[in-house]
Amino acid sequence: NRVLFLQILQQPRGLVHELRRMNQYSILGRYLPAFGKIVGQIRAGLVVLLGVARGDTETDLAYLVEKIPALRIFSDEAGKMNRSLAEIGGGVLAISQFTLLGDTRKGRRPGFDQAADPATAQRLYGQFIEQLRQTTDLTVETGIFGAHMKIDLVNDGPVTFVLDSRN
């Protein structure tokens, strides 16, 4: 990585461009500590933003743990969504995201009454991760529960799906 770091830094495209490129290849944080620590990263796969709602239980987790690896949402040779996460050998980057439950229907500030309390959300988030790790061969990486994080992702497509265990 040190050689790649030095090669990128010497490119003629400009410092900002090269810093972005280094960050993309996950080497920036290794040489410039101010950019922080990379907590979890995957190459191909899914970024799962997990919002735990008030009333969610282990049954909701079981639904997601079964559904996510088996969803046929990746392209096959013909360009059709026909392959699952397990089939492409992808990984999961699971990030707790209570803001998904924000209610913006009234006023200008979202309300989070539908989000589970932090202790319950953390427990269920942890169980979700453990169940994925125990029941699949997928690489499962995580964010840090409750932390302010910078998340860098490339949305291929873009393709985004919302899974609600209650609907």
Side-chain angles (χ1 to χ4, degrees):
N1 282 339
R2 187 173 196 281
V3 172
L4 180 58
F5 176 81
L6 293 172
Q7 286 174 346
I8 290 173
L9 199 55
Q10 294 170 358
Q11 295 297 313
R13 288 185 217 111
L15 185 58
V16 172
H17 173 81
E18 298 310 328
L19 288 174
R20 284 185 182 143
R21 194 164 155 230
M22 283 184 251
N23 196 34
Q24 178 183 356
Y25 290 110
S26 304
I27 61 174
L28 189 59
R30 292 187 182 115
Y31 296 97
L32 299 174
F35 279 84
K37 180 181 173 190
I38 296 170
V39 176
Q41 65 182 11
I42 59 171
R43 293 239 178 235
L46 296 175
V47 174
V48 175
L49 302 174
L50 184 70
V52 180
R54 189 175 302 277
D56 280 352
T57 66
E58 286 77 5
T59 302
D60 297 289
L61 296 182
Y63 168 81
L64 294 172
V65 167
E66 180 183 330
K67 188 83 165 173
I68 289 170
L71 274 175
R72 293 175 29 192
I73 57 176
F74 294 93
S75 297
D76 63 12
E77 299 76 24
K80 301 275 186 202
M81 285 187 179
N82 223 4
R83 299 182 73 200
S84 70
L85 184 62
E87 288 174 307
I88 69 157
V92 172
L93 177 58
I95 300 166
S96 176
Q97 185 74 27
F98 81 96
T99 60
L100 290 172
L101 298 154
D103 183 354
T104 58
R105 292 176 292 175
K106 296 180 185 174
R108 296 180 183 199
R109 183 180 309 143
F112 297 102
D113 295 339
Q114 296 305 310
D117 66 87
T120 301
Q122 186 170 16
R123 178 178 57 80
L124 291 175
Y125 171 67
Q127 287 178 2
F128 171 75
I129 294 161
E130 284 308 308
Q131 286 180 24
L132 268 178
R133 286 177 174 158
Q134 291 173 0
T135 62
T136 71
D137 292 328
L138 301 174
T139 298
V140 180
E141 295 284 329
T142 67
I144 299 172
F145 184 88
H148 179 88
M149 296 175 285
K150 294 184 191 265
I151 301 164
D152 188 12
L153 79 105
V154 175
N155 193 342
D156 189 6
V159 175
T160 304
F161 294 97
V162 176
L163 301 180
D164 188 338
S165 59
R166 296 181 188 179
N167 295 328

